[in-house]
Amino acid sequence: MKCSCPVEKDSPTFPYLGRKFRFMRNMPFLTAILAGLAVAALALSFPKIPKAPGVQSPIVELEFTGSVSDVERITSGYDPAITEAFRRNIAHDRWFILAYAGFLALSCISAWRLRKDYLLIAGALLAAAAGIFDHLEKNALLNLLDPRNKQPLPHLEDLRLFTWLKWGGISAVFLTMAPFLWRSGQVGRGVTVFFVLTAFAGLSAWFNTATILPFTGLVSLSFLLLLIWEIIYRPF
């Protein structure tokens, strides 16, 4: 896939690369791709969480929980095996946070090197912010998973705030890359449309909790589409 606005061979965009590294000139998202592959590997190796009756996606449903009764339902009454599985999952997620935030930030920075659009710098900062919010969200989850906690309400409020800031921040990062992707060709335009639809799904989830799981699924698929696009993209 060729960029509609190719960079000249002697462009200062990659002054540090000589002829021996021309393949890297043709893969400007190489570092982001490596981070994306780490994201994929970590995503496939998350510790499993037993599902209580009626629960489809334990970790996502716990993130968006709205009451103590929901926490009890999702954890099957604070079942020790389930709560311990949640803790293992959250411990694994700390590494996943670093990987996906790095992938998004490197994607924005790599795109900025090709097209000096400062919206992409904003995207890199949003990626870092989303990672921080995710870390704070996980702290709130751990507090909620402690059955000895006699004051869960503050943690529920923190959880709701940080969960929406995280998911909203991730979706916003994809939108900051949309102008660059749109100019890159037909495949990039298709990915851009998907990112926009995902953002609208996020708005729907804000007003209708029944659409939360589809929204989070679309965000996960957005990561995969961005990684695939970066692998096949060629600016020269």
Side-chain angles (χ1 to χ4, degrees):
M1 179 173 58
K2 298 290 185 180
C3 176
S4 59
C5 300
V7 179
E8 296 296 328
K9 282 189 175 182
D10 297 328
S11 168
T13 304
F14 299 96
Y16 51 89
L17 297 177
R19 292 180 178 272
K20 293 182 180 180
F21 299 97
R22 186 170 295 173
F23 76 98
M24 292 180 65
R25 286 166 53 92
N26 288 330
M27 294 189 70
F29 291 92
L30 182 60
T31 53
I33 290 169
L34 295 176
L37 293 175
V39 172
L42 288 166
L44 293 173
S45 58
F46 263 101
K48 300 297 183 182
I49 301 175
K51 295 180 181 180
V55 176
Q56 299 180 51
S57 179
I59 192 67
V60 173
E61 292 185 38
L62 189 62
E63 287 178 356
F64 287 95
T65 187
S67 66
V68 175
S69 61
D70 279 343
V71 177
E72 293 175 346
R73 176 182 61 84
I74 295 167
T75 61
S76 201
Y78 292 100
D79 180 277
I82 294 180
T83 55
E84 181 57 31
F86 269 109
R87 292 188 182 94
R88 289 196 301 270
N89 187 281
I90 290 171
H92 182 89
D93 201 14
R94 304 290 190 183
W95 295 105
F96 184 71
I97 292 168
L98 291 174
Y100 84 68
F103 168 62
L104 293 177
L106 287 170
S107 296
C108 290
I109 292 170
S110 298
W112 179 81
R113 293 176 67 88
L114 291 170
R115 184 181 297 276
K116 297 299 189 290
D117 183 348
Y118 285 92
L119 184 62
L120 294 164
I121 297 299
L125 295 175
L126 280 171
I132 293 171
F133 293 138
D134 200 349
H135 174 76
L136 295 172
E137 175 205 70
K138 295 304 179 289
N139 289 344
L141 282 176
L142 289 174
N143 287 324
L144 282 176
L145 288 170
D146 188 349
R148 299 168 299 177
N149 185 4
K150 302 301 181 183
Q151 295 182 326
L153 185 58
H155 302 304
L156 280 171
E157 293 173 347
D158 289 345
L159 180 62
R160 177 177 174 79
L161 173 65
F162 295 133
T163 295
W164 278 107
L165 286 174
K166 175 193 78 172
W167 287 100
I170 292 172
S171 185
V173 174
F174 291 128
L175 290 179
T176 63
M177 291 201 67
F180 182 91
L181 288 165
W182 185 263
R183 298 186 183 99
S184 69
Q186 291 184 347
V187 176
R189 292 188 184 97
V191 176
T192 298
V193 170
F194 188 87
F195 288 172
V196 173
L197 292 175
T198 299
F200 278 111
L203 289 175
S204 173
W206 175 264
F207 294 105
N208 182 6
T209 57
T211 61
I212 284 175
L213 287 181
F215 164 59
T216 58
L218 290 174
V219 171
S220 299
L221 187 54
S222 294
F223 277 96
L224 179 60
L225 290 177
L226 180 59
L227 176 60
I228 293 172
W229 177 86
E230 290 177 351
I231 291 173
I232 65 176
Y233 174 73
R234 296 293 183 272
F236 304 112

